[in-house]
Amino acid sequence: WDPHSLRCLAVGEGHLEAVTAVAMARKGAAFVVTGGADKLLKVWDLTKINLDESEDVIHLRTSAAVAAHEKDINHIAVAPNDQLICTASQDRTARLWDPKNLVQVAVLKGHKRGVWQAQFSPVEQVVATASGDKTIRVWSLKDATCLRTLEGHTAAVLALAFSSAGTQVLSTGSDATLKLWSLKTSECLNTFDNHEDKVWGLAVREDGATVVTGGADGRLVMWEDNTAAETEAAALATEEQLLKQQELDNALHKLDYAKAVKLALDLQQPHRLRTTLAQLIAHGRAGGAALPKLIKDMDDDRLKTLLEYLREWNTNTKHCHVSSAVLAALLTAVPATRIIKLPNIRDLLEGIQAYNVRHFNRMERLNRATFLLDFTLASMPGGLQAEVAEENEQATVGNHTAETEGMEHLAKRDARKRKIREGAVTPLSKKPASQEQKPSKSVFKSGKKKTGLGGSGA
């Protein structure tokens, strides 16, 4: 067909059944390749077509033909340099052919279901195939080995195309989605959903900025690459988050807990939020009075986020005290009519209640254990209480004995003084100096003694 006038230029006849795949040369060679339900692959010569001549329709002739597959041919792709042809078939294989004489170059085996489409990379020597087994395989043209397998579709992959200079792959499938893949990491970068049924058609502009998909829902959807806009938005979001983080640090430094709690909720930092609430609760009555007012002023989004964090903290015995205190303030400050309107509130409260029951049971067991300890100590013969009583009794007896002895000594001294005054007792006197015993002479003189060796020693 002439794309400008939509005039029929030539007709090729020769297939025995429906023609299911068509592909033209990409670099300038004058041929077209067709495949059909008859398993035949044909190359048609286009050299005789002249757009400037008469309007007569030309009958095309085949330059080569071959029985290419065991089942229907679903798709045909021509390499960017027109040196190879790749066919995809329901027989679960893709095959490489020489376009000059249709000699088979390689067979790409590995798919478990029929292969719906094949595409050559614009820069690398690889070809990608999409299959009904929900996978995309990337094959090397040098040795026909599978280099990568992309998994992520939940149904058959029906179409694919290379993008971003051959570094990414776009694919559509029976799961009504469009997926973007990275060939470097073999991971799905993004999934787009705007169809309600199978997506059969996929076309990508050369610069990759625009993608068009067509589905069984009768819709044609045009997609635009907004990577640059998303990158700029992400940079702005990061900058805004850094500013909020600085504000949070300043608020904590100034002990402005109300502002710090709101910023921690906005930044989605549960650890900073928990430590801030713990500091607020530690202020005693002032903190206990400020917490309900702070929670009451929160909007519904922050309130829901706070309840989600409370549910997480309540699962840990180290943080359950903070969670219980904040939950008590929340139930006191926020009306029940407002709480029940929060999204997913039933699951949140059930999660909190389940762990609260565990904490109360643990505290009750601990309380009972303390009573048992007291009862055991009181019931032991000669136990701790008996030892304490015995020590107290001994201390009392010792104090009484010392006091009695002291009083007897004082009484004896007073009686002796009385007798001395009355003359009944003669006071003690010193002996005469003549009767005093003289000190004995020491065998040492001046701290020295003679030695048999002529020396002296101290």
Side-chain angles (χ1 to χ4, degrees):
W1 298 87
D2 184 350
H4 302 289
S5 63
L6 298 181
R7 179 172 61 88
C8 179
L9 302 177
V11 175
E13 296 179 348
H15 279 283
L16 304 178
E17 295 185 35
V19 178
T20 55
V22 178
M24 296 190 68
R26 300 173 61 179
K27 197 175 180 180
F31 68 85
V32 62
V33 188
T34 59
D38 54 5
K39 299 95 173 177
L40 296 178
L41 179 66
K42 292 178 176 286
V43 177
W44 305 82
D45 185 13
L46 302 181
T47 56
K48 295 183 178 181
I49 296 179
N50 192 344
L51 299 177
D52 297 332
E53 292 185 355
S54 63
E55 297 181 359
D56 295 337
V57 177
I58 298 174
H59 293 277
L60 298 178
R61 292 185 179 182
T62 58
S63 58
V66 66
H69 289 273
E70 298 176 0
K71 292 185 178 181
D72 298 2
I73 298 175
N74 292 327
H75 189 263
I76 299 174
V78 179
N81 58 1
D82 294 339
Q83 298 300 312
L84 281 176
I85 295 173
C86 185
T87 56
S89 172
Q90 282 296 112
D91 63 4
R92 298 179 294 182
T93 66
R95 299 173 186 260
L96 299 175
W97 308 87
D98 186 344
K100 297 178 181 178
N101 48 21
L102 291 183
V103 173
Q104 182 173 286
V105 177
V107 180
L108 309 179
K109 292 183 179 181
H111 284 294
K112 299 178 181 179
R113 296 269 181 104
V115 183
W116 284 105
Q117 197 169 108
Q119 293 290 350
F120 286 95
S121 170
V123 292
E124 300 290 340
Q125 293 188 3
V126 297
V127 62
T129 55
S131 172
D133 61 4
K134 309 175 189 178
T135 66
I136 300 169
R137 289 178 179 262
V138 181
W139 310 82
S140 171
L141 296 180
K142 296 180 180 180
D143 52 11
T145 58
C146 181
L147 302 177
R148 292 178 180 82
T149 301
L150 310 181
E151 296 179 326
H153 279 281
T154 58
V157 186
L158 303 177
L160 61 86
F162 282 89
S163 179
S164 302
T167 60
Q168 296 177 337
V169 171
L170 289 162
S171 64
T172 60
S174 297
D175 54 5
T177 62
L178 169 67
K179 289 183 178 291
L180 177 65
W181 306 84
S182 170
L183 288 181
K184 183 177 181 180
T185 61
S186 300
E187 295 180 353
C188 180
L189 301 178
N190 211 334
T191 300
F192 309 97
D193 183 6
N194 203 11
H195 284 279
E196 299 176 357
D197 207 341
K198 300 177 181 179
V199 184
W200 287 97
L202 172 63
V204 182
R205 204 165 69 178
E206 290 186 4
D207 58 3
T210 305
V211 178
V212 180
T213 57
D217 55 1
R219 301 179 64 188
L220 190 68
V221 181
M222 181 175 292
W223 309 82
E224 185 177 5
D225 185 6
N226 61 345
T227 304
E230 288 187 353
T231 302
E232 183 179 357
L236 292 175
T238 302
E239 182 179 357
E240 182 179 359
Q241 189 171 8
L242 291 176
L243 292 176
K244 286 186 176 181
Q245 183 66 45
Q246 185 62 46
E247 291 180 7
L248 174 59
D249 295 337
N250 294 338
L252 290 175
H253 182 71
K254 297 178 180 179
L255 301 181
D256 188 356
Y257 295 113
K259 185 176 181 180
V261 168
K262 293 180 180 179
L263 289 172
L265 284 170
D266 294 340
L267 292 172
Q268 296 182 354
Q269 296 182 356
H271 176 71
R272 298 291 296 273
L273 176 63
R274 178 173 51 79
T275 54
T276 303
L277 290 173
Q279 294 176 11
L280 180 60
I281 295 171
H283 277 67
R285 293 184 178 180
L291 187 58
K293 183 178 183 304
L294 172 63
I295 297 176
K296 184 178 181 180
D297 295 339
M298 292 183 182
D299 55 21
D300 290 347
D301 293 337
R302 289 174 176 166
L303 200 61
K304 179 177 178 295
T305 304
L306 179 61
L307 282 171
E308 291 176 351
Y309 291 156
L310 292 179
R311 180 180 60 181
E312 295 178 5
W313 300 340
N314 208 35
T315 60
N316 193 328
T317 55
K318 294 181 180 180
H319 312 320
C320 64
H321 306 290
V322 177
S323 175
S324 299
V326 176
L327 180 62
L330 188 149
L331 295 177
T332 302
V334 182
T337 54
R338 180 186 173 191
I339 295 177
I340 61 175
K341 293 180 181 180
L342 297 175
N344 201 26
I345 186 61
R346 183 183 182 88
D347 295 339
L348 291 175
L349 293 180
E350 286 180 354
I352 295 174
Q353 181 185 10
Y355 279 91
N356 273 343
V357 172
R358 296 185 183 183
H359 297 321
F360 285 130
N361 291 338
R362 178 170 52 83
M363 295 174 64
E364 181 64 23
R365 289 194 300 269
L366 179 61
N367 191 27
R368 288 201 298 265
T370 59
F371 288 128
L372 178 61
L373 179 62
D374 292 340
F375 175 76
T376 303
L377 293 175
S379 302
M380 291 175 59
L384 180 62
Q385 293 183 353
E387 292 180 1
V388 173
E390 184 179 355
E391 291 178 358
N392 292 336
E393 183 179 357
Q394 291 178 356
T396 303
V397 172
N399 293 336
H400 179 71
T401 302
E403 184 178 356
T404 302
E405 292 178 352
M407 292 178 65
E408 290 178 353
H409 177 72
L410 291 176
K412 290 180 179 181
R413 187 186 64 180
D414 294 341
R416 184 173 179 80
K417 288 182 179 180
R418 232 180 3 258
K419 290 179 179 180
I420 292 173
R421 285 195 299 266
E422 293 174 355
V425 178
T426 303
L428 296 176
S429 59
K430 295 183 180 180
K431 293 182 180 181
S434 60
Q435 297 181 359
E436 292 181 357
Q437 186 177 359
K438 297 180 180 181
S440 59
K441 296 182 179 180
S442 176
V443 297
F444 298 102
K445 294 181 179 181
S446 302
K448 299 180 181 180
K449 66 177 180 179
K450 295 183 179 180
T451 63
L453 299 177
S456 61

